[in-house]
Amino acid sequence: MVLVTGVAGSGKSTVALLLADRLGWAYQDADEFHTPANRARMAAGEALSDEDRRPWLAAVAAWIDRRIAARKPAVVACSALKRAHRDQLAGGRPEVRLVHLHGSRQLIRSRLLSRHGHFFPAQLLDSQFADLQEPEPDEHAYVVEVDQPPDAVAAAVLALLGTSTSTSTSTSTASGEQWQLRHGAQAAVVVELGGALRHYEVGGRPLLDGFAAHEPITGGRGQLLVPWPNRVAGGRYGFGGDNQQLPLTEPEKGNAIHGLLRWVPWRLLGRGEDTVTLGTTLFPQPGYPYHLEVSAEYRLGPEGLETTVTTVNVGGTAAPYGVGQHPYLTVGTDLVDTALLTVPARYRLSTDEHGLPTGEEPVEGTAYDFRTARPIGEQRLDTAYTGLDRDPDGHCVVRLSHPSGRHGTDVRLIEGVRYVQVYTGDTLPGAGRRRGVAIEPMSCPADAFRSGTALTVLEPGDTHVFRWALAPWGSW
């Protein structure tokens, strides 16, 4: 647990977020634990007393204790100006490493005056320095000057902690660099390997059955499926008068599965506190001799996490194309059996032993009908749905709810989504079986390269947009 302290304007939130990204750890801003009343008082220029801060610090300390007990590392940004404040957060917790950001009053004032949209006004700076008690030797704090760019400050902290950037982003993680997003009580993590969505939580409660930074990606968790979702039978298809053979990535069933970009690194294109954009190039290759530029934007906002995948055909010939994503949702139950599922779809695709479509069937009157919310029970699902019911904006909502019906997550199918695959994880190995429900938005069904069903043909210069979102609701 790394605790980053300093006065307002020292850059502790920015530096802590950079540290969390590079270490692949969770990030928490202690400001999120302030009461609305305290926020209003500070915004009005009124300094907080120690009595005002006491319940706030207790809430931060409780969060730290929960993370330590769960053996989940994190970086916390908190002013903790006084020795007593730091003792409340770090005292008796040998797991906590204290990092203090130091800057001159003149430098901090200039930063605060240039900052917009934050509840802490520059006129409270004098009260901050009046309260500030620099760390004492027995606190064993790492003190770093902030008269340099945030990247350099973060690098200096990592060096003091004995962790270099290279080991923290590549060697110590199984999925490459980790980019964390924050918006209010929401946090998400996107990874370099395949541009996958690793983690999404609200108020510290996970909404995804994801994977840890040190773990390999299994079961397709959070992966982007480009340039086709699901399967291509035998990896063979014809397009534009030519026959193609893709590598068989599901050899036990003789299929090519989930595209070509799951196991390649994606590069960072843009970064903000609540958004990250990644990109990669799909070069012509055996089995797919087409040239695509692909980007994925993840954005946290008041309504949840939205993902937009944009693909451009930069080659000289038309290209067959499909796209999907493979998140596993959880509502906090040990198994998916008691979770309530709603899929507003009139049809499902029947499949053969290879997981390939054999026809389209109405769900009405069958065990696959989840148009009205009901428990999943013992039902085994690895089922593609279509005939999606949509609202006036053209959106469809698939819902997974807690058995109480008091909270859950909506999967909003917004643009470029014509099918949704629901998978209860029955074929996953060991403890991963039926732990989460994969609700996978798809532009086309399995084997679309062969059947042509809902297949997108990207002409040279064409762009395809695929957009969906996770929207938590209720009291978690």
Side-chain angles (χ1 to χ4, degrees):
M1 184 70 60
V2 174
L3 176 63
V4 181
T5 68
V7 297
S10 63
K12 58 185 177 293
S13 296
T14 301
V15 170
L17 183 59
L18 287 169
L19 292 174
D21 276 351
R22 297 178 186 184
L23 292 165
W25 293 3
Y27 164 76
Q28 180 65 50
D29 193 324
D31 284 347
E32 299 296 335
F33 294 93
H34 272 303
T35 64
N38 278 357
R39 286 171 172 267
R41 293 173 67 179
M42 288 186 285
E46 182 181 348
L48 299 181
S49 67
D50 281 348
E51 186 66 26
D52 296 325
R53 293 190 181 100
R54 188 170 291 112
W56 167 60
L57 290 168
V60 178
W63 187 89
I64 289 174
D65 284 338
R66 289 195 298 271
R67 299 293 299 195
I68 292 174
R71 307 180 69 87
K72 294 181 178 180
V75 181
V76 184
C78 182
S79 52
L81 300 176
K82 296 183 178 181
R83 170 66 186 260
H85 302 165
R86 296 188 294 273
D87 284 349
Q88 190 169 347
L89 300 179
R93 299 178 178 90
E95 300 89 350
V96 177
R97 310 289 289 277
L98 179 61
V99 174
H100 181 68
L101 303 185
H102 179 271
S104 69
R105 185 186 295 250
Q106 182 179 6
L107 173 63
I108 301 301
R109 181 178 295 278
S110 67
R111 288 185 175 181
L112 282 176
L113 290 173
S114 65
R115 190 164 68 176
H116 302 284
H118 193 274
F119 64 80
F120 192 94
Q123 60 263 36
L124 282 183
L125 178 63
D126 290 341
S127 70
Q128 290 267 295
F129 274 96
D131 284 344
L132 175 62
Q133 297 172 349
E134 298 287 353
E136 299 175 28
D138 66 325
E139 293 183 77
H140 306 293
Y142 298 107
V143 180
V144 180
E145 294 295 329
V146 297
D147 57 348
Q148 52 189 324
D151 279 334
V153 176
V157 172
L158 289 170
L160 289 170
L161 293 172
T163 309
S164 69
T165 301
S166 59
T167 58
S168 64
T169 59
S170 298
T171 308
S172 65
T173 67
S175 48
E177 193 158 356
Q178 313 282 303
W179 293 289
Q180 184 162 126
L181 314 179
R182 294 285 305 185
H183 184 93
Q186 301 176 78
V189 180
V190 178
V191 302
E192 178 184 10
L193 180 60
L197 176 62
R198 179 172 76 76
H199 178 75
Y200 180 38
E201 67 176 50
V202 175
R205 295 182 180 273
L207 275 63
L208 294 182
D209 179 22
F211 55 97
H214 67 276
E215 295 176 332
I217 304 175
T218 59
R221 281 180 166 77
Q223 290 184 316
L224 293 165
L225 316 177
V226 180
W228 74 88
N230 218 291
R231 298 166 170 87
V232 177
R236 295 185 298 273
Y237 68 98
F239 184 79
D242 296 321
N243 294 320
Q244 305 293 345
Q245 176 64 62
L246 294 160
L248 299 185
T249 46
E250 192 183 39
E252 67 275 15
K253 293 186 177 180
N255 298 318
I257 190 169
H258 290 335
L260 299 168
L261 297 180
R262 292 197 292 159
W263 306 111
V264 302
W266 288 49
R267 61 187 180 274
L268 181 65
L269 299 180
R271 180 81 169 88
E273 185 172 358
D274 59 6
T275 184
V276 65
T277 304
L278 311 178
T280 192
T281 303
L282 180 53
F283 288 103
Q285 56 193 273
Y288 196 81
Y290 312 105
H291 194 179
L292 308 179
E293 286 289 344
V294 187
S295 67
E297 179 193 76
Y298 294 91
R299 180 178 295 275
L300 281 175
E303 296 185 355
L305 174 63
E306 184 173 285
T307 302
T308 304
V309 181
T310 304
T311 301
V312 182
N313 182 356
V314 295
T317 60
Y321 179 75
V323 57
Q325 194 156 5
H326 206 302
Y328 288 77
L329 276 65
T330 179
V331 287
T333 57
D334 291 336
L335 297 175
V336 304
D337 302 44
T338 57
L340 307 178
L341 176 66
T342 309
V343 186
R346 298 183 300 278
Y347 303 97
R348 66 123 183 165
L349 302 185
S350 56
T351 56
D352 63 16
E353 66 274 17
H354 300 286
L356 301 166
T358 58
E360 189 176 286
E361 301 177 352
V363 299
E364 186 172 3
T366 74
Y368 297 94
D369 189 351
F370 285 90
R371 290 177 295 174
T372 300
R374 63 181 177 88
I376 294 172
E378 297 181 356
Q379 179 77 18
R380 295 167 62 99
L381 295 172
D382 192 359
T383 307
Y385 288 90
T386 190
L388 305 175
D389 292 333
R390 300 179 183 271
D391 63 22
D393 293 325
H395 303 169
C396 175
V397 176
V398 178
R399 170 169 287 189
L400 190 70
S401 306
H402 187 267
S404 67
R406 295 175 181 171
H407 63 81
T409 302
D410 288 346
V411 181
R412 299 186 180 276
L413 313 179
I414 300 172
E415 184 177 357
V417 184
R418 298 177 65 179
Y419 291 77
V420 62
Q421 186 90 11
V422 180
Y423 172 50
T424 48
D426 300 274
T427 57
L428 294 175
R433 190 171 296 132
R434 295 184 72 86
R435 193 175 64 192
V437 182
I439 299 177
E440 311 161 39
M442 305 187 301
S443 67
C444 60
D447 219 23
F449 273 24
R450 292 166 60 87
S451 68
T453 302
L455 181 69
T456 297
V457 176
L458 286 176
E459 298 292 342
D462 279 359
T463 297
H464 183 273
V465 177
F466 175 81
R467 183 178 292 116
W468 68 282
L470 291 169
W473 54 270
S475 176
W476 286 79

